[in-house]
Amino acid sequence: MARGAKKARDRVLAFGCHPDDVEFMAGGTLALLAKNGYEIHIACMAGGEMGSPTQPAQEIRAARLHEAETAAFVLGGRFHYAGGQDLEVEYNDFYRRQTTRVMREVDPLIVLAPPPADYLVDHEETSRLVRNAAYIASVPNYDCGVPTRHTRRFPYLYYWNAVGLKDIFGRPLPITMRVDISSVIRTKKKMLACHESQRQWLAHHNQWDEYTETMKRWSRAEGEAVGAEFAEGFIQHLGNGHPQDNILKQILSELCIECR
Ligand SMILES: [Zn+2]
């Protein structure tokens, strides 16, 4: 490296299904990682096409992708769209290639993904796709459809908690750590506030006009479990090949509380 040249920063990729999923469930942890010098990338599988009672799909997609880009920018991060559509995400060849393309473009050290069990099939399929891409992106002979370099390593992989903090049977997920995000709750709120069209949609469709309040309620419930004001819960993926040590604990120290 030339004298004075800046060392490339390690990258974090938070890969959700819909625009705003990442900010809702892991925005605080991303803010802490950004503060610790990590380069932040946020990706979404689908473009939010169903999120309007009046606007056509293409129009609302453009608006929502722009909002997601703005939210990533709050952390100086980059946004990636994997090219999928709301309510159509499934584990198939198209989505497998697209997810792997994004994984290779970012080549992350740490990946955050939706949990394998969640309230919406779109989320669960995204979880499988991201998990698989984290593995196969490093296989040189896997062709993702565009010329890309394979990744250099298996990333650390973590799943965030389920929406509403429960699976479809109402049970809590086996959370292995919680990150104290009290110091960055305002940043998380600011990221979420970028998703204005989603707030409007939820108010219309789900009679759910307390967008940021819901986020704070869930973050507060996670915090209560570990004696913090606000927190986010995660489960580390410990499948064969992936690193087995907890890098979030190493980076965030006492802000990452392991629950074993
Ligand atoms: Zn979603």
Side-chain angles (χ1 to χ4, degrees):
M1 197 189 311
R3 190 194 291 254
K6 262 178 98 177
K7 186 176 173 286
R9 290 188 295 160
D10 277 318
R11 292 174 290 277
V12 179
L13 172 61
F15 205 142
C17 183
H18 309 105
D20 90 346
D21 287 356
V22 166
E23 291 81 349
F24 232 101
M25 306 310 298
T29 300
L30 285 181
L32 289 171
L33 291 171
K35 276 175 118 177
N36 276 274
Y38 285 79
E39 187 179 303
I40 304 300
H41 293 255
I42 295 178
C44 68
M45 196 66 77
E49 297 80 8
M50 301 299 142
S52 172
T54 51
Q55 283 177 284
Q58 277 190 346
E59 218 172 88
I60 187 67
R61 178 198 292 143
R64 295 207 52 201
L65 294 180
H66 177 68
E67 289 169 355
E69 203 170 1
T70 311
F73 196 66
V74 171
L75 301 182
R78 269 189 59 199
F79 173 71
H80 308 258
Y81 169 47
Q85 289 210 42
D86 279 16
L87 307 182
E88 291 189 3
V89 177
E90 59 179 20
Y91 188 83
N92 64 22
D93 195 43
F94 168 77
Y95 280 100
R96 201 160 39 239
R97 285 168 187 256
Q98 290 289 79
T99 312
T100 307
R101 170 183 64 78
V102 174
M103 191 68 66
R104 284 180 172 171
E105 281 170 6
V106 178
D107 191 8
L109 174 67
I110 302 170
V111 173
L112 307 181
D118 207 340
Y119 85 108
L120 195 60
V121 172
D122 263 8
H123 288 190
E124 295 183 345
E125 294 290 284
T126 298
S127 182
R128 287 182 78 197
L129 286 157
V130 175
R131 168 192 162 186
N132 190 56
Y135 197 94
I136 66 173
S138 63
V139 177
N141 281 354
Y142 178 76
D143 179 5
C144 69
V146 291
T148 50
R149 271 241 313 263
H150 62 85
T151 53
R152 295 166 292 161
R153 63 201 158 195
F154 288 100
Y156 290 84
L157 173 59
Y158 297 86
Y159 304 109
W160 56 73
N161 207 342
V163 168
L165 315 182
K166 60 183 183 186
D167 70 10
I168 57 169
F169 303 111
R171 299 174 301 194
L173 269 54
I175 295 301
T176 57
M177 72 202 74
R178 290 187 172 85
V179 173
D180 180 347
I181 60 159
S182 309
S183 66
V184 289
I185 192 72
R186 286 175 65 180
T187 309
K188 180 172 180 170
K189 203 173 153 188
K190 190 174 170 190
M191 291 172 77
L192 206 54
C194 297
H195 294 276
E196 176 56 22
S197 66
Q198 175 71 349
R199 190 195 64 75
Q200 287 174 12
W201 163 250
L202 290 171
H204 170 85
H205 187 255
N206 298 19
Q207 286 84 50
W208 205 48
D209 198 8
E210 39 164 34
Y211 194 48
T212 51
E213 282 311 305
T214 302
M215 175 278 283
K216 280 173 85 174
R217 197 168 65 245
W218 294 345
S219 300
R220 196 174 282 120
E222 295 270 36
E224 272 170 20
V226 289
E229 192 176 4
F230 298 104
E232 289 168 346
F234 294 93
I235 306 163
Q236 186 170 4
H237 179 96
L238 295 173
N240 193 40
H242 288 274
Q244 304 290 298
D245 58 311
N246 183 4
I247 196 170
L248 287 184
K249 179 71 181 168
Q250 290 164 35
I251 300 166
L252 301 173
S253 183
E254 74 279 1
L255 292 181
C256 177
I257 302 116
E258 293 176 310
C259 335
R260 288 175 203 275

